[in-house]
Amino acid sequence: MRRLNRKKTLNLMKELDAFPKVPESYVETSASGGTVSLIAFTTIAFLTIMEFTVYRDTWMKYEYEVDKDFTSKLRINIDITVAMRCQYVGADVLDLAETMVTSADGLIYEPVIFDLSPQQKEWQRMLQLIQSRLQEEHSLQDVIFKSAFKSASTALPPREDNSLQSPDACRIHGHLYVNKVAGNFHITVGKAIPHPRGHAHLAALVSHESYNFSHRIDHLSFGELIPGIINPLDGTEKIASNHNQMFQYFITVVPTKLHTYKISAETHQFSVTERERVINHAAGSHGVSGIFMKYDISSLMVTVTEQHMPFWQFLVRLCGIIGGIFSTTGILHGFGRFVAEVIFCRFRLGSYRSTSVPLPDGHTSNHLPLITDNNMH
């Protein structure tokens, strides 16, 4: 009974076979078929390698939503060198209402030499080259996101020449926490002093001839400090052509959540436009000499997520490649053989021309002669 049931099951399975086998005696091989098969296998191998490369790669997905976080503080990371002595300059942040001066206790004033050493100049040249490429190839930003926390530090390397030159500049570096509203971070002459109607800088004791707001921005970022991320103003250097000169940077900050396979952090991207002008009250160019960075917070938040192709999708694409190549080459090979047979058949038919055969009654026959063994010999 068991054998009978097993036999019925096997017969049923044979009836459901969607891949019937052709006996080897019915299979005919040819040189053209072998050539097409070799081309098909080569194409499949090449496309499989390319598909595996795509499967190993990742890409960044950008999603946009409204930023609903208005209570948290915004961190500003600063590393700027100004070509003036530290006792002559002051830095602070003013919010949009200009009624509250954010404390600048988190900033460090360090006397340094403004001119860079050879190694530092090479670092700055490479950073400026990367910035120029980022402006041309926006897709490189995805590579920077992926390499965050893995690439080398983007900070200015220390001097290697141990110069005995006395410091002629001031490096202002550190971080500040401000409210998430538009504000103005500025570096100008004199230290900031409290004022009932806002704030002021004590600049009366500094002569105008000593003003020099040539500066270098080694780093400026908003939010969590992530090593390996290059920001738009990193490596910027401006040389003042006049003592009374104003440098302005208009910055739009976009909150960004970064989720990759290496890190998960909340940072901020920003775009910037620049402007500089000489302060000349007689010519109608009013203002205060210094470096002014006016920033505004975008109401949109960007979520950047690193994604990877699922394994099932890779298998589906791989099966599509193999099946598609086999089907396509089979169709092309069959069509090629059909065309070749049609051409050769016409050629053979054309080789047998119509001839006149005399008949015993004096008539002629225009029919093709029969092919006999004597004709073949």
Side-chain angles (χ1 to χ4, degrees):
M1 192 69 176
R2 291 181 180 178
R3 290 182 179 179
L4 184 61
N5 292 335
R6 185 180 301 176
K7 205 169 187 181
K8 290 182 179 179
T9 304
L10 289 176
N11 292 332
L12 179 62
M13 296 304 295
K14 288 180 179 180
E15 292 178 0
L16 296 176
D17 187 6
F19 308 97
K21 308 300 182 297
V22 180
E24 294 184 0
S25 58
Y26 297 158
V27 177
E28 180 183 359
T29 59
S30 62
S32 61
T35 304
V36 173
S37 299
L38 182 61
I39 295 174
F41 288 135
T42 304
T43 306
I44 289 174
F46 175 74
L47 293 180
T48 300
I49 295 174
M50 295 296 294
E51 191 66 27
F52 183 72
T53 304
V54 174
Y55 170 71
R56 291 186 57 189
D57 194 16
T58 59
W59 61 88
M60 309 305 292
K61 180 182 179 182
Y62 293 82
E63 297 177 328
Y64 303 89
E65 59 181 320
V66 177
D67 185 16
K68 301 178 181 179
D69 183 11
F70 304 106
T71 58
S72 63
K73 295 288 185 177
L74 175 64
R75 171 170 169 159
I76 306 178
N77 307 294
I78 301 165
D79 191 350
I80 302 176
T81 301
V82 185
M84 291 181 65
R85 297 185 181 276
C86 291
Q87 60 266 29
Y88 296 154
V89 294
D92 60 338
V93 180
L94 200 64
D95 69 358
L96 182 62
E98 297 189 357
T99 56
M100 188 185 81
V101 179
T102 304
S103 174
D105 296 337
L107 298 180
I108 301 173
Y109 294 78
E110 179 184 349
V112 294
I113 301 173
F114 187 76
D115 291 333
L116 297 176
S117 64
Q119 181 180 352
Q120 290 175 330
K121 288 182 179 179
E122 181 66 19
W123 169 87
Q124 186 186 39
R125 188 187 68 83
M126 291 299 298
L127 193 56
Q128 291 175 349
L129 179 61
I130 294 174
Q131 293 285 19
S132 62
R133 293 299 301 273
L134 282 172
Q135 293 178 1
E136 298 174 0
E137 302 288 343
H138 299 288
S139 59
L140 291 178
Q141 187 63 48
D142 293 350
V143 180
I144 294 178
F145 281 149
K146 294 178 187 178
S147 61
F149 279 155
K150 295 191 300 181
S151 59
S153 175
T154 58
L156 178 68
R159 300 186 69 92
E160 78 283 356
D161 54 359
N162 296 323
S163 176
L164 299 178
Q165 179 184 349
S166 59
D168 59 351
C170 184
R171 178 190 175 198
I172 304 174
H173 60 98
H175 61 271
L176 299 171
Y177 288 96
V178 299
N179 295 322
K180 292 186 68 173
V181 295
N184 179 8
F185 169 77
H186 53 271
I187 302 174
T188 187
V189 179
K191 303 298 181 182
I193 56 176
H195 193 274
R197 297 183 179 180
H199 85 296
H201 287 262
L202 188 60
L205 302 178
V206 183
S207 63
H208 285 77
E209 288 72 17
S210 61
Y211 286 13
N212 184 5
F213 284 101
S214 300
H215 62 280
R216 182 177 62 253
I217 303 175
D218 297 325
H219 180 79
L220 179 69
S221 64
F222 297 83
E224 183 179 346
L225 186 60
I226 303 178
I229 298 295
I230 299 177
N231 296 277
L233 287 176
D234 293 355
T236 301
E237 183 175 283
K238 299 291 183 180
I239 304 299
S241 59
N242 192 283
H243 293 293
N244 295 327
Q245 192 158 351
M246 172 190 286
F247 296 91
Q248 292 177 304
Y249 299 92
F250 301 93
I251 300 172
T252 301
V253 182
V254 181
T256 304
K257 291 183 178 180
L258 182 61
H259 301 287
T260 68
Y261 289 105
K262 298 295 181 180
I263 64 171
S264 180
E266 294 187 4
T267 181
H268 292 72
Q269 301 179 83
F270 66 90
S271 60
V272 59
T273 55
E274 306 173 11
R275 183 189 178 191
E276 59 182 82
R277 59 188 175 91
V278 176
I279 302 301
N280 188 348
H281 298 286
S285 179
H286 304 291
V288 179
S289 303
I291 305 167
F292 296 84
M293 298 182 177
K294 299 182 178 181
Y295 60 88
D296 192 8
I297 312 297
S298 174
S299 59
L300 291 179
M301 181 175 62
V302 182
T303 302
V304 185
T305 308
E306 185 178 7
Q307 291 191 336
H308 187 274
M309 180 187 297
F311 183 70
W312 65 266
Q313 187 175 353
F314 169 71
L315 291 179
V316 171
R317 292 166 66 100
L318 196 61
C319 293
I321 289 174
I322 297 174
I325 294 296
F326 269 118
S327 301
T328 303
T329 52
I331 293 173
L332 293 178
H333 181 238
F335 181 75
R337 291 188 62 179
F338 172 75
V339 172
E341 289 178 358
V342 170
I343 294 175
F344 282 118
C345 285
R346 288 184 178 179
F347 178 77
R348 290 175 181 175
L349 290 175
S351 62
Y352 300 103
R353 299 178 180 178
S354 177
T355 57
S356 298
V357 180
L359 298 176
D361 58 357
H363 294 82
T364 59
S365 175
N366 295 325
H367 294 286
L368 293 175
L370 294 175
I371 299 176
T372 62
D373 293 339
N374 295 330
N375 296 129
M376 295 181 63
H377 291 298

